[in-house]
RNA sequence: GUGAUUGUAGUUCAGUUGGUUAGAACGCCUGAUUGUGGUUCAGGAGGUCGCGGGUUCGAGUCCCGUCUUUCACCCCA
């Protein structure tokens, strides 16, 4: 009675090679977060469903993984609940869910611990999140987010620092061709006002976000379908064809949005962020003001970020923004937050596709001890301890086996050195050290071996 | 959630209009080499053809369902 093992849809194992690479990405991100003064935080895999629902829009609620109540989960429900559909049934059989992102649990944490937290509070959080989405390349049902957020300050230095952190991480990961897109929610609102489509604002945003993907014509088509007036669409066209440097775009936006308070505010904030970046001496060319960027509309209220790696068919690898009202839903108002998230799984896919992993060394076993019988193996254990005491990653072949097999093991595992212990070596105390790369073998004392390996 | 698409050995893939015993490469195991891996040579093991039903004298091949993969939409990291 054996069953064919399988994995749930959209979930993956990570083997040793993948783990080495993932850790390389994570370590890079962690170090940068820490350098900017962020402190670690973890929250549980599960939250109360009441914490999660309603925070991500209707779409988001559908993508939440709900967890069945423990024990007799039907005991609280009735036939009436069942008959009135899955929605009313759900609240009776499930009160917990897997977290969907790290921002909402973070907001929950901040509210619950508001009296103990020193504001502004900077935290980073690296954990898996779950979405019941239909999997695709770069889209998984379980994936890691690496968030850094600041709550309790309105300072636009935070926004500038987000740009700095993204740039530093991408530079260290050896990405060269990528764009950090930045926009402002207030600019989007300003655009809606300028073209007289405030009531259709969210339809407008969803459509213009697709501009780089489907082009101006199709966006306009979609807007008309979504019920916008022809005059609004016509008024929008010049807004979408804004080109040039950051300063040039700002200038054009100022002209178009000078009647909108909201638009003016957005422009001013982006200018300030840009000024902060100047003060930092930031000169990176990968940042770009993109007035068609419209993401995270359900809670972002200020600046919006998104990072894409060019020439790779994967969506955004990082995103974020400022949200004024997030802790408000948990009863703490007037606390602004700004943050962003790296999608490590997508970053991994990008690095792999661009062949940027070559410099990641698999830092595993350095020495394997091979032997002939019980006696030489036992002697090998004392050698093994000496190697490990010297800080050398080492192991002994655990079974009695032919040398051929033991050497084959070292070869396949990529172990650079082997020490062979036979009766001769035991008697003389001079062990056979073999360099697996060039095949050279010499007889050395354990001290000489340690010096040779650690000294290199 | 809507519409497509994929599934054959450990892996990557062949498999003709439905026809006898489902193949290859790589990998794996054994030996050539009883104190030595990566090369070479000889031999060997390994498959409920995703799963369940149906059509047929006969199904890896055709039909239906289901799961899985990939892709577009939606949305997102």
């Amino acid at each position: 009675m054996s069953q064919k093992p399988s994995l749930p849809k959209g979930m993956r194992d990570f083997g040793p090679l993948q783990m080495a690479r993932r850790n390389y990405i994570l370590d890079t991100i962690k170090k940068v977060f820490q350098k900017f003064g962020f402190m670690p935080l973890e929250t549980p895999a599960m939250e109360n469903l009441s914490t999660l629902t309603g925070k991500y829009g209707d779409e988001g609620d559908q993508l939440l993984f709900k967890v069945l109540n423990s024990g007799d989960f039907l005991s609280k429900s009735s036939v009436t609940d069942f008959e009135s559909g899955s929605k009313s049934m759900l609240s009776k059989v499930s009160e917990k869910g897997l977290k969907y992102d790290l921002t909402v649990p973070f907001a929950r944490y901040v509210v619950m611990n508001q009296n103990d937290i020193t504001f502004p509070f900077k935290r980073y959080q690296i954990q898996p999140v779950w979405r019941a989405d239909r999997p695709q390349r770069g889209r998984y049902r379980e994936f890691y987010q690496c968030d850094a957020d600041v709550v309790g300050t309105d300072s636009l230095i935070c926004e500038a620092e987000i740009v700095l952190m993204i740039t530093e991480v991408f530079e260290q990961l050896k990405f060269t061709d990528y764009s950090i897109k930045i926009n402002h929610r207030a600019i989007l609102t300003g655009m809606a006002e300028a073209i007289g489509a405030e009531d259709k604002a969210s339809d407008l945003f969803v459509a213009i976000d697709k501009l780089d993907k489907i082009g101006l014509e199709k966006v306009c088509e979609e807007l008309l379908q979504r019920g916008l007036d022809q005059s609004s669409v016509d008024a929008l066209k010049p807004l979408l064809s804004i080109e040039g440097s950051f300063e040039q775009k700002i200038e054009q936006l100022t002209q178009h949005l000078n009647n909108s308070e909201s638009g003016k505010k957005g422009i001013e904030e982006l200018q300030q962020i840009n000024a902060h970046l100047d003060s930092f001496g930031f000169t990176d060319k990968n940042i770009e003001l993109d007035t068609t960027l419209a993401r995270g509309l359900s809670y972002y209220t200020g600046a919006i970020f998104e990072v894409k790696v060019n020439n790779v068919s994967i969506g955004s690898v990082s995103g974020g923004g400022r949200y004024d009202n997030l802790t408000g839903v948990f009863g703490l108002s007037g606390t602004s937050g700004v943050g962003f998230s790296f999608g490590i799984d997508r970053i991994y896919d990008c690095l792999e596709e661009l062949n940027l992993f070559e410099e990641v060394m698999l830092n595993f076993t350095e020495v394997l001890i091979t032997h002939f019988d019980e006696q030489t193996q036992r002697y090998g254990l004392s050698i093994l301890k000496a190697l490990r005491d010297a800080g050398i990653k080492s192991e002994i072949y655990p079974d009695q086996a032919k040398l051929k097999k033991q050497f084959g093991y070292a070869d396949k595992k990529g172990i650079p050195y082997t020490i062979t212990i036979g009766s001769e070596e035991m008697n003389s105390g001079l062990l056979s050290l073999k360099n697996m790369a060039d095949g050279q073998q010499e007889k050395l004392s354990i001290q000489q071996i340690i010096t040779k390996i650690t000294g290199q």
Side-chain angles (χ1 to χ4, degrees), chain A residues 77 234 237 392 449:
Chain A
S77 63
D234 290 340
K237 282 182 182 172
I392 296 169
I449 289 175

Side-chain angles (χ1 to χ4, degrees), chain A residues 120 150-162 269 272-273 276 280 303 305 322 324 336-339:
Chain A
V150 188
V151 284
T153 171
D154 295 328
S155 169
L156 296 172
I157 291 176
C158 300
E159 274 85 340
E161 287 194 322
I162 285 175
E269 288 202 0
Q272 272 189 49
I273 293 167
H276 285 316
F280 273 115
F305 302 98
R322 180 173 286 275
D324 290 331
S336 178
V338 60

Side-chain angles (χ1 to χ4, degrees), chain A residues 63-74:
Chain A
L63 298 180
L64 284 172
F65 276 107
K66 291 97 180 170
V67 175
L68 219 44
N69 290 339
S70 315
D72 183 4
F73 56 85
L74 280 181

Side-chain angles (χ1 to χ4, degrees), chain A residues 9-79:
Chain A
K9 189 200 278 256
M11 314 228 166
R12 302 154 301 154
D13 291 321
F14 302 115
L17 176 68
Q18 285 168 299
M19 281 310 295
R21 292 173 163 183
R22 287 173 69 86
N23 284 334
Y24 155 75
I25 300 171
L26 285 173
D27 289 346
T28 306
I29 293 173
K30 255 187 231 173
K31 277 183 199 150
V32 170
F33 283 169
Q34 285 167 3
K35 195 157 90 179
F36 279 74
F38 289 81
M39 288 158 70
L41 175 76
E42 287 203 7
T43 63
M46 282 187 232
E47 294 279 348
N48 289 326
L49 229 32
S50 56
T51 302
L52 299 173
T53 45
K55 309 301 187 298
Y56 312 105
D58 288 344
E59 297 268 357
D61 284 355
Q62 293 200 324
L63 298 180
L64 284 172
F65 276 107
K66 291 97 180 170
V67 175
L68 219 44
N69 290 339
S70 315
D72 183 4
F73 56 85
L74 280 181
S75 59
K76 287 179 192 164
S77 63
S78 65
V79 178

Side-chain angles (χ1 to χ4, degrees), chain A residues 430-448:
Chain A
L430 292 177
L431 313 175
S432 299
L433 178 74
K434 181 168 182 175
N435 180 328
M436 294 295 281
D438 60 19
Q440 294 296 308
Q441 187 164 316
E442 52 189 330
K443 292 213 165 179
L444 298 170
S445 72
I446 179 64
Q447 270 319 314
Q448 288 173 307

Side-chain angles (χ1 to χ4, degrees), chain A residues 6-12 65 130-136 139-142:
Chain A
S6 63
L7 243 34
K9 189 200 278 256
M11 314 228 166
R12 302 154 301 154
F65 276 107
W130 293 268
R131 294 181 189 180
D133 213 342
R134 192 171 286 206
Q136 275 180 44
R139 173 179 301 197
Y140 310 99
R141 289 186 146 187
E142 178 183 54

